[in-house]
Amino acid sequence: MLNGIRENSTMKEVYQYIEDHKEMYVKWLFDLCEQPSVAAQNRGIKETAEMVEHHLKNLGAEVELVATEGNPVVYGEIQNGKEKTLSFYNHYDVQPEDPIDQWLSDPFTPEIRDGKIYARGVADNKGTLLSRICAVHAYQAVYGTLPINLKFLVEGEEEIGSPHLEEFIINNPKKIQADGCIWENGFKTLDGRLQITLGCKGMLYVELRAKGANIDLHSAKAAIVENPAWRLVWALSTLKNTKEEVLIEGFYDKVKTLTEEERKLTEEMELDEAADLENLGLKNYVNNLTGFPLKEKLIFQPTCTICGIESGYTAEGSKTVLPSTAKVKLDFRLVSEQDPEEIYDLLVKHLVKHGFGDIEVIKLKGQRAGTTELTDPLVEKVVSTAQQFYDQKPQVLRSQAGTGPMYNLCQKFGIPSLGFGVGNATSQNHAPNENINLTDYIEGIKFMASVLRSYA
Amino acid sequence: MLNGIRENSTMKEVYQYIEDHKEMYVKWLFDLCEQPSVAAQNRGIKETAEMVEHHLKNLGAEVELVATEGNPVVYGEIQNGKEKTLSFYNHYDVQPEDPIDQWLSDPFTPEIRDGKIYARGVADNKGTLLSRICAVHAYQAVYGTLPINLKFLVEGEEEIGSPHLEEFIINNPKKIQADGCIWENGFKTLDGRLQITLGCKGMLYVELRAKGANIDLHSAKAAIVENPAWRLVWALSTLKNTKEEVLIEGFYDKVKTLTEEERKLTEEMELDEAADLENLGLKNYVNNLTGFPLKEKLIFQPTCTICGIESGYTAEGSKTVLPSTAKVKLDFRLVSEQDPEEIYDLLVKHLVKHGFGDIEVIKLKGQRAGTTELTDPLVEKVVSTAQQFYDQKPQVLRSQAGTGPMYNLCQKFGIPSLGFGVGNATSQNHAPNENINLTDYIEGIKFMASVLRSYA
């Protein structure tokens, strides 16, 4: 407790500095969000990487734009000769902004409405990235140097599955070394508690393509010419049933059952179903799940999701056409020991077995689930700092429902990792009207500064 | 035979006139095709109706742009006090031009390549419409007057299922009266024989819409939030199986078995499967059908076709999103006594029965199949004229595989009707690179002129 008091008093000046420079820190965020950086479409990558490089140089870091076969990784190192080294894993790319017509303001013109900052990428994860940069900035401004060594690993392809991060990891084994890694992002619960997540789901993202005749035809011909849209529908209907069970043989083989500890964390996990459902405009969750089984499915179960499907005429009115092609984008969120390569093979085998060997399966992303032990000192340190700072117990999640390269970057090398950030329960990541609360951003800078202190 | 010789000799001058004015007739076609008239998107309707009106006035017809709740019907009448009255049913609207990137030239900039005229609508059915206008023009230029009375019924909504033609029919019972009706369009077989069709399939066109959450979500949430794309896929998979059997209870109840006459016509029907498959880039037809069962399915069997499906992210790369909506456009080509209203009810009932009552079913088109008796004098007259003109037996088809409002406009009132036109076996109606042969166009004008003569 004495320690706590002392710590708080030493942080007071830093918090004050952050308050005094609030406008500047918000401007930095606006500037970064104004710059599109859509990895899926290769838009604005170079410009955004350079903006991040500039920010890190401004902190006095040794910065390198590390080239890969894909987008560069912005690497920054602040070497103070301290005992402990923390790394930040973040990304400067964002999801595509469509469907654009559902945005209330331009996705790349940040706007504050009712205390929220709206912009593509503001929650995932430019807000959290900048909260870390600003925390270091404020801490150094007040104390001159950090109490630890720091590494920034800011990649530009997270939203497309980090296809070249592995290349970076292999070529730069020293750069990724750290005693602990703070993962890219995080949110608050609906009742305002900070979430700290100790893992990520994995992912296999594929595109399935079916082909019919070599051109679109008058649909009169559909009596005798095969329709690729139908083939895709039939193939998909063999993959998952209406009970949400994935029907690919062997799909669940490497999904582990929950430990007692995991059950306990899941029981403690807050999910305000009524508020969440109201926010989503829904009456119930899949299979009418509620309570523990609902949370268990969200955190511990793999998924098979149609992210997009397209064939033929989709504009206004009617067009009687027999399409020549059909495609679907599927993501599988993976858990436990599920291996994306293996799941890909099982999927291809499944399609062949069910008579859909003609459907092309293109792998766009593959990533294993990553996790950190609950008992790791990094976890204990951050959880206790959060409890002190926010004056309430943070919500520790065994894993995000989302995906990240935590396995490849940390778990594989024995580096503990956990994530938190400046998002909220309705941040709408990947969706229109993505947002963070202005107060969460400023508070997040302060909390990050206090973690820098407590980790030392 | 004597008769035939005399007829030919009297037509000689008309044929010569057509040869002499070929360039003008092609220019008329180019001008009409340059004018977009996409009913599904309400583009260029008024301008095109006025162009047709101008052409009919130029023939000395009494012309009226008959307003409907939708697009106007261009009605033209040439009343010569003759015994017999023939009507032409045509349409001035065309299908949407997309997918635009598959066109080798701009769909609304007609272009001649290798003897073919390429343009949206040139085969369906602006070429045939103008061949009729030009035939009348040439005949009158040579002989002063036509040997029959003539009516032009040129509607502007055929490609969206003629939703207001019924209104026109009810309000204008006298305008539709005729001794026979020449239907909008037709083609040649792969070996160059004229096709004469005695019927059209009917149609039910619907859009199915599924709804999930009120916004697109991060696909991590797909573990617990229902995906409308999946619901649509599951619903569709209950409608038709991979053997192409429609599974809606009662769907086939009103499909009649073939008469002996129909079997004979179908046996005589030419379908060069190898050439057609090569042209389509396919190895086989659905269910590996060939020969009689293939032709039977094309002409006499109803269909259920996915014309378009769309949900979520469909652009480049990957986006991990849980879509909030999904839609599919379905056309059912109907035969025999199948009633679109009844099929719609059966479809809705089917969806409810299979647990998909939440999926909205929007009816966009409804039309019954239409037919004319083989023994009708109109049929005999046109078939014998074709045999004489082309010096080979035309191919008489019991029905088109396509759809038209023949039932409502003709069959209901006892008006016999048959269709022929200037298209060819690879005209690609409704698809990119729609085309007709320049020679088919000019020949079609001459043939139409000889039908005017022989029908008298």
Side-chain angles (χ1 to χ4, degrees), chain A residues 36-40 91-96 108 120-121 124 126 159:
Chain A
S37 51
V38 184
H91 58 93
Y92 60 85
D93 64 316
V94 302
Q95 283 278 319
F108 296 109
R120 167 51 88 230
D124 188 9
K126 288 177 172 174
E159 297 295 7

Side-chain angles (χ1 to χ4, degrees), chain A residues 53-281:
Chain A
E53 180 188 27
H54 171 83
H55 274 299
L56 299 187
K57 280 188 174 161
N58 190 37
L59 300 178
E62 290 280 321
V63 190
E64 198 181 325
L65 270 183
V66 184
T68 71
E69 289 281 314
N71 300 337
V73 175
V74 188
Y75 176 75
E77 191 173 322
I78 299 175
Q79 191 49 260
N80 295 312
K82 305 291 179 184
E83 193 195 326
K84 283 191 180 164
T85 300
L86 202 61
S87 67
F88 290 145
Y89 165 71
N90 286 91
H91 58 93
Y92 60 85
D93 64 316
V94 302
Q95 283 278 319
E97 68 272 29
D98 73 62
I100 182 81
D101 57 320
Q102 290 181 27
W103 283 81
L104 297 180
S105 54
D106 182 82
F108 296 109
T109 308
E111 190 177 296
I112 299 181
R113 297 194 300 274
D114 295 332
K116 286 170 183 257
I117 310 173
Y118 289 87
R120 167 51 88 230
V122 70
D124 188 9
N125 72 5
K126 288 177 172 174
T128 298
L129 166 60
L130 266 179
S131 75
R132 295 171 187 182
I133 289 171
C134 296
V136 175
H137 181 265
Y139 200 100
Q140 289 180 331
V142 172
Y143 289 108
T145 56
L146 296 178
I148 55 172
N149 308 314
L150 208 58
K151 290 176 174 182
F152 283 91
L153 305 161
V154 189
E155 71 147 317
E157 300 183 322
E158 196 269 351
E159 297 295 7
I160 55 169
S162 305
H164 301 98
L165 189 66
E166 189 60 21
E167 179 194 335
F168 170 84
I169 293 167
I170 289 168
N171 294 336
N172 300 276
K174 282 187 122 176
K175 288 191 171 68
I176 63 160
Q177 276 175 23
D179 299 304
C181 176
I182 306 296
W183 205 249
E184 51 140 345
N185 212 359
F187 307 92
K188 279 187 171 175
T189 61
L190 271 173
D191 71 352
R193 284 156 66 207
L194 188 77
Q195 281 188 340
I196 296 172
T197 53
L198 310 187
C200 302
K201 284 188 180 177
M203 175 169 293
L204 171 66
Y205 196 109
V206 292
E207 183 166 312
L208 270 52
R209 292 188 193 159
K211 238 193 96 26
N214 49 19
I215 51 160
D216 285 4
L217 297 171
H218 189 297
S219 72
K221 202 104 188 192
I224 58 170
V225 171
E226 196 132 61
N227 186 334
W230 271 116
R231 284 199 68 70
L232 211 53
V233 162
W234 291 325
L236 286 169
S237 72
T238 68
L239 289 183
K240 192 166 87 161
N241 65 19
T242 55
K243 289 177 201 154
E244 296 277 337
E245 293 160 342
V246 177
L247 305 172
I248 299 167
E249 213 178 303
F251 183 77
Y252 293 101
D253 283 0
K254 301 207 171 162
V255 180
K256 292 193 289 188
T257 51
L258 274 61
T259 62
E260 264 320 295
E261 221 170 21
E262 286 169 339
R263 293 193 77 84
K264 201 165 152 272
L265 269 187
T266 306
E267 271 157 15
E268 281 170 13
M269 171 184 167
E270 181 240 35
L271 178 60
D272 185 339
E273 299 178 20
D276 186 45
L277 286 171
E278 200 198 326
N279 185 44
L280 298 170

Side-chain angles (χ1 to χ4, degrees), chain A residues 98 219 317 319 329 331 333, chain B residues 98 219 317 319 329 331 333:
Chain A
D98 73 62
S219 72
K319 186 184 177 199
K329 289 170 195 272
D331 83 27
R333 302 267 171 186
Chain B
D98 72 62
S219 73
K319 186 184 178 199
K329 291 170 195 272
D331 84 26
R333 302 265 172 187

